[in-house]
Amino acid sequence: MDEKKINRRDFLRQLGVAGAGILAATSPWLSAFGELDHTSSELCRIGVIGPGSRGQFLMSFIASNPKAKIVAMADIYEPSLQSALKIAPDAKTYKDYRALLSDKNVDAVVVATPLNTHYQIVMDAFDAGKHVYCEKTIGYTMEECFNMYQKHLETGRIFFTGQQRLFDPRYIQVMDLVHRGNFGKISHVEAYWNRNGDWRREVPSPELERLINWRLYKASSKGLMTELGCHQIQVGTWAMQKLPDRVMGHGGITFWKDGREVHDNVHCIYSFNTGETLNYGSVISNKFYGLEEKILGNLGTVEPETGKYFFEQTAPAPAFLQMLNTWENKLFDEIPFAGTSWAPESANVNKGQYILGERPKTDGTSLNTDAFIEAVITGRQPARIAEEGYYASLLALWGFEAIEKGEVLAFPEQYKIDYAPYGTKLNKELLS
């Protein structure tokens, strides 16, 4: 199709309309943009805790938002602070994140530190009255995730997680189609993320190995499940609108035998009492098939990462094509204002039809940070955003536990929360 570029402000305004209208059931968190015109003179003052590579990626979007200002940064690694100052040269810098939390000029924090440090930082941030955007996976254990979510409820502070697919135009459209029944009964989701690389970063001095390559060691990381799987498993439950009941898995170090402790390949099967399955796998010694989440229904298949759909036997109905055309022209035209947070890793050969007319250049990260800023300014927590992030983290950690134990595990009832879309309830009797 002919490339069309729309104004960022107009696009966000349309998202706000969608969040209150046709997409409200599938993606109600889009309502964060509903007050866009009324917040133009407001400013959200943000502190970034952990301005390393991921933190600086998020900062690039925050710095481009006229309603936000990065006023402070904290990191124990001085080179990260110095590099981040190129994005936010006027920000105060701290070695201790607790000093940043004491800064009265900070309204909200972005937490992009190693996984094992999230819990204490986020809990302290909530106690300090700060709003929180925490990178996924939010906690190192399921218990930590549960406590973080409960603290969010107790304090009433805004809580976002780095689940950018919730704001990706491809995924928003796909889920609306899935929930409308266009692909029939969904029986299976096949998710995978394959790369070919050792996942290592250059280390200037040996004593910094575990600080810089924290993802490779079990004391600070749970590897592929929490770094990659957290994104894609959430797509499966978003599509099916329920939680799996059991999980089994396997992982190993089969290629990168370089002293790492986390697996270089993992595979999990999540099963539902109603018969459906959700498979997740990741291999980092072969990238041919890239990444995707294949959502399989009896009428068709949809691949949200590539933005394609396939019908089993018949051509799409005119009403279906008209719906896609309406979205394309009125809501989700090509959005040029954000790049992806990873290089496209889709399979080499693919057929089918594009939902958006072509593969979009955005992965939702910029819209996720924009929504957080709007929520902080208005003081309104968008519906379901914290809950989706919570369960995404829980499912990744649960799968990791199944891999480590080599057992089929039932979903831990004590960590269920009140969440109507998945039909779950908090069991107060199980609280200690």
Side-chain angles (χ1 to χ4, degrees), residues 42-261:
E42 301 293 334
L43 184 68
C44 173
R45 301 169 300 177
I46 293 179
V48 178
I49 302 175
S53 58
R54 182 65 185 177
Q56 289 179 43
F57 179 76
L58 297 174
M59 287 174 63
S60 68
F61 297 121
I62 296 169
S64 68
N65 188 318
K67 298 181 185 179
K69 183 179 176 71
I70 300 170
V71 298
M73 299 181 294
D75 203 303
I76 61 174
Y77 189 52
E78 184 64 26
S80 290
L81 286 174
Q82 293 304 313
S83 179
L85 283 170
K86 296 175 184 177
I87 302 174
D90 297 328
K92 291 183 179 179
T93 60
Y94 299 95
K95 285 288 190 180
D96 191 329
Y97 77 86
R98 291 168 294 187
L100 183 150
L101 294 180
S102 298
D103 191 333
K104 301 299 183 183
N105 291 317
V106 174
D107 302 313
V109 295
V110 170
V111 179
T113 58
L115 174 62
N116 66 313
T117 66
H118 286 181
Y119 179 68
Q120 195 60 56
I121 294 172
V122 170
M123 296 295 276
D124 288 347
F126 280 139
D127 283 338
K130 310 300 184 186
H131 304 287
V132 175
Y133 179 112
C134 182
E135 263 302 338
K136 54 76 196 141
T137 297
I138 60 171
Y140 182 75
T141 67
M142 288 185 276
E143 181 179 11
E144 287 185 357
C145 294
F146 182 81
N147 291 341
M148 292 161 79
Y149 176 74
Q150 293 302 320
K151 179 69 77 170
H152 149 65
L153 296 181
E154 292 168 8
T155 61
R157 299 291 91 184
I158 304 298
F159 191 26
F160 270 57
T161 64
Q163 299 290 145
Q164 65 262 22
R165 279 167 169 75
L166 296 172
F167 289 91
D168 187 316
R170 293 162 297 180
Y171 288 80
I172 292 170
Q173 286 194 34
V174 161
M175 292 306 166
D176 189 53
L177 295 173
V178 168
H179 296 163
R180 287 171 181 263
N182 283 285
F183 302 103
K185 165 65 177 175
I186 305 301
S187 297
H188 179 68
V189 175
E190 186 75 24
Y192 52 85
W193 196 331
N194 299 321
R195 294 174 166 177
N196 197 333
D198 62 8
W199 218 10
R200 284 193 171 277
R201 298 179 186 273
E202 186 177 348
V203 177
S205 181
E207 68 269 15
L208 297 174
E209 164 64 18
R210 288 180 178 261
L211 175 65
I212 293 176
N213 284 312
W214 60 269
R215 289 180 178 85
L216 303 181
Y217 301 100
K218 288 185 177 180
S220 49
S221 169
K222 295 191 174 175
L224 296 169
M225 291 302 297
T226 52
E227 294 302 305
L228 301 183
C230 187
H231 288 296
Q232 295 184 287
I233 297 165
Q234 186 270 334
V235 172
T237 54
W238 188 8
M240 294 186 182
Q241 290 291 278
K242 56 185 175 183
L243 292 178
D245 298 287
R246 290 169 302 281
V247 65
M248 63 181 293
H250 173 78
I253 302 174
T254 59
F255 185 79
W256 297 109
K257 300 179 183 293
D258 55 2
R260 72 185 58 215
E261 297 171 356

Side-chain angles (χ1 to χ4, degrees), residues 253-309:
I253 302 174
T254 59
F255 185 79
W256 297 109
K257 300 179 183 293
D258 55 2
R260 72 185 58 215
E261 297 171 356
V262 300
H263 301 132
D264 63 11
N265 71 93
V266 294
H267 300 274
C268 282
I269 301 174
Y270 295 83
S271 62
F272 299 76
N273 286 338
T274 45
E276 300 89 347
T277 50
L278 162 60
N279 290 359
Y280 179 72
S282 181
V283 174
I284 57 171
S285 56
N286 183 296
K287 66 180 180 180
F288 183 77
Y289 287 107
L291 78 154
E292 189 55 85
E293 303 93 10
K294 300 177 185 290
I295 301 172
L296 281 61
N298 67 297
L299 300 181
T301 300
V302 63
E303 299 177 347
E305 180 61 33
T306 51
K308 283 191 170 185
Y309 64 88

